[in-house]
């Protein structure tokens, strides 16, 4: 018997007929239905088409209107609300306590969302983490969310001494941060379509920094997918 990855309760899951006849019949959900219900899904039709902020009635939000003046809109898609107790707790355990097993909680749903962009036409580019974070955590949390996708590691973090951790900065400081990314020069990005992969969209600054590097290298379109918004 499998246990829920989040609350350890035994999973007494009954597959329905549709599930039994699908090709994924061997896979059981990684968490129990109670835990699943604690996460608040974002309804795409009612969210901002730029950043996936929920409840705008499908209109572009004010923040994205500002981005639109100087950038190509990222058209971020996100699965769940970030500022809910369950999601904040999830990221606390996954990222800050480094519980790598928890990548399976959302891996299937996250990859499904990314695959809306066919791999033949799009490159999947994960947002990198800096060396210090990687050493502490032991993994890149975004790469963990997509174990079955072929990723293109064309971005790296520019190492600066004493860089303040993103999570320790307030919103204004985050917006003013200088370009943190550089290109791994091995990939030809000319005229490419790129989906940026990240875990959380907060201000959008990180993703727009990444977009700028990719566009400067010749990318034609840059979009984004995040787990939470
Ligand atoms: Zn549970
Ligand atoms: Zn927006």
């Amino acid at each position: 018997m499998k246990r829920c990855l989040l609350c350890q309760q035994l999973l007494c899951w009954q597959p329905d007929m549709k599930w039994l006849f699908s090709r994924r019949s061997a896979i059981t959900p990684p968490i129990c239905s109670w835990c699943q219900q604690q996460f608040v899904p974002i309804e795409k039709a009612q969210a901002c088409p730029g950043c996936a902020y929920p409840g705008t009635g499908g209109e572009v939000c004010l923040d994205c209107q500002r981005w639109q003046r100087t950038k190509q809109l990222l058209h971020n898609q996100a699965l769940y609300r970030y500022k809910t107790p369950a999601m904040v707790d999830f990221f606390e355990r996954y990222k800050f306590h480094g519980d790598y097993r928890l990548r399976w909680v959302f891996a299937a749903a996250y990859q499904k969302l990314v695959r809306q962009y066919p791999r033949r036409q799009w490159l999947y580019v994960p947002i990198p983490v800096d060396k210090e974070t990687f050493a502490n955590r032991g993994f890149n949390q975004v790469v963990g969310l997509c174990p079955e996708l072929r990723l293109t590691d064309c971005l790296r973090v520019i190492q600066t001494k004493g860089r303040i951790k993103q999570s320790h900065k307030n919103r204004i400081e985050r917006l003013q941060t200088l370009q943190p990314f550089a290109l791994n020069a091995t990939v030809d990005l000319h005229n490419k379509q790129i989906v940026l992969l990240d875990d959380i969209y907060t201000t959008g600054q990180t993703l727009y920094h990444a977009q700028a590097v990719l566009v400067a290298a010749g990318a034609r379109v840059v979009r984004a997918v995040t787990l939470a918004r």
Side-chain angles (χ1 to χ4, degrees):
M1 273 292 234
K2 273 172 66 172
R3 288 179 183 273
C4 170
L5 274 175
L6 293 176
C7 72
Q8 306 309 320
Q9 190 192 170
L10 280 174
L11 288 171
C12 45
W13 173 73
Q14 297 292 329
D16 59 18
M17 291 307 271
K18 196 175 143 216
W19 187 275
L20 277 174
F21 286 103
S22 76
R23 285 194 294 161
R24 299 156 69 215
S25 55
I27 309 161
T28 50
I31 57 173
C32 72
S33 55
W34 187 87
C35 283
Q36 184 62 53
Q37 281 163 22
Q38 308 310 305
F39 298 103
V40 182
I42 292 173
E43 203 187 321
K44 190 184 169 188
Q46 295 301 316
C48 167
C51 66
Y53 189 79
T56 68
E59 300 295 319
V60 177
C61 77
L62 287 175
D63 282 346
C64 286
Q65 287 177 26
R66 227 172 290 141
W67 286 121
Q68 246 177 337
R69 281 178 217 145
T70 53
K71 319 258 185 202
Q72 175 194 106
L73 206 62
L74 275 168
H75 292 278
N76 182 53
Q77 291 194 63
L79 286 169
Y80 294 100
R81 296 296 313 267
Y82 176 51
K83 288 193 174 154
T84 55
M87 194 51 93
V88 170
D89 185 56
F90 168 81
F91 276 111
E92 179 75 22
R93 291 171 63 183
Y94 179 46
K95 280 168 78 166
F96 300 109
H97 296 180
D99 189 346
Y100 196 48
R101 287 172 315 151
L102 296 188
R103 72 193 185 281
W104 294 110
V105 173
F106 294 113
Y110 185 80
Q111 293 180 129
K112 192 178 169 196
L113 190 62
V114 175
R115 283 184 175 127
Q116 289 182 2
Y117 296 98
R119 184 64 175 79
R120 275 172 284 114
Q121 291 143 31
W122 296 81
L123 296 179
Y124 303 153
V125 176
I127 294 293
V129 294
D130 63 81
K131 278 184 181 154
E132 193 194 335
T133 305
F134 192 87
N136 288 337
R137 189 177 295 152
F139 59 92
N140 175 332
Q141 71 278 3
V142 186
V143 174
L145 288 175
C146 29
E148 291 144 350
L149 297 180
R150 190 146 57 90
L151 305 177
T152 306
D153 281 317
C154 60
L155 291 174
R156 63 183 172 81
V157 177
I158 302 166
Q159 297 297 324
T160 49
K161 273 202 168 159
R163 180 183 284 282
I164 313 163
K165 271 193 151 177
Q166 193 75 354
S167 48
H168 293 165
K169 288 183 246 178
N170 65 33
R171 183 168 189 279
I172 301 298
E173 282 172 332
R174 274 203 297 263
L175 288 175
Q176 290 167 344
T177 311
L178 296 172
Q179 176 60 261
F181 303 120
L183 211 61
N184 282 333
T186 48
V187 193
D188 175 24
L189 296 178
H190 181 71
N191 216 24
K192 291 285 195 298
Q193 301 191 101
I194 292 171
V195 189
L196 279 170
L197 311 180
D198 206 357
D199 52 352
I200 310 167
Y201 186 116
T202 23
T203 63
Q205 183 67 77
T206 302
L207 286 163
Y208 278 103
H209 273 318
Q211 182 202 53
V213 173
L214 298 170
V215 167
R220 180 158 48 97
V221 185
V222 181
R223 302 225 164 147
V225 170
T226 61
L227 172 59
R229 167 66 174 104

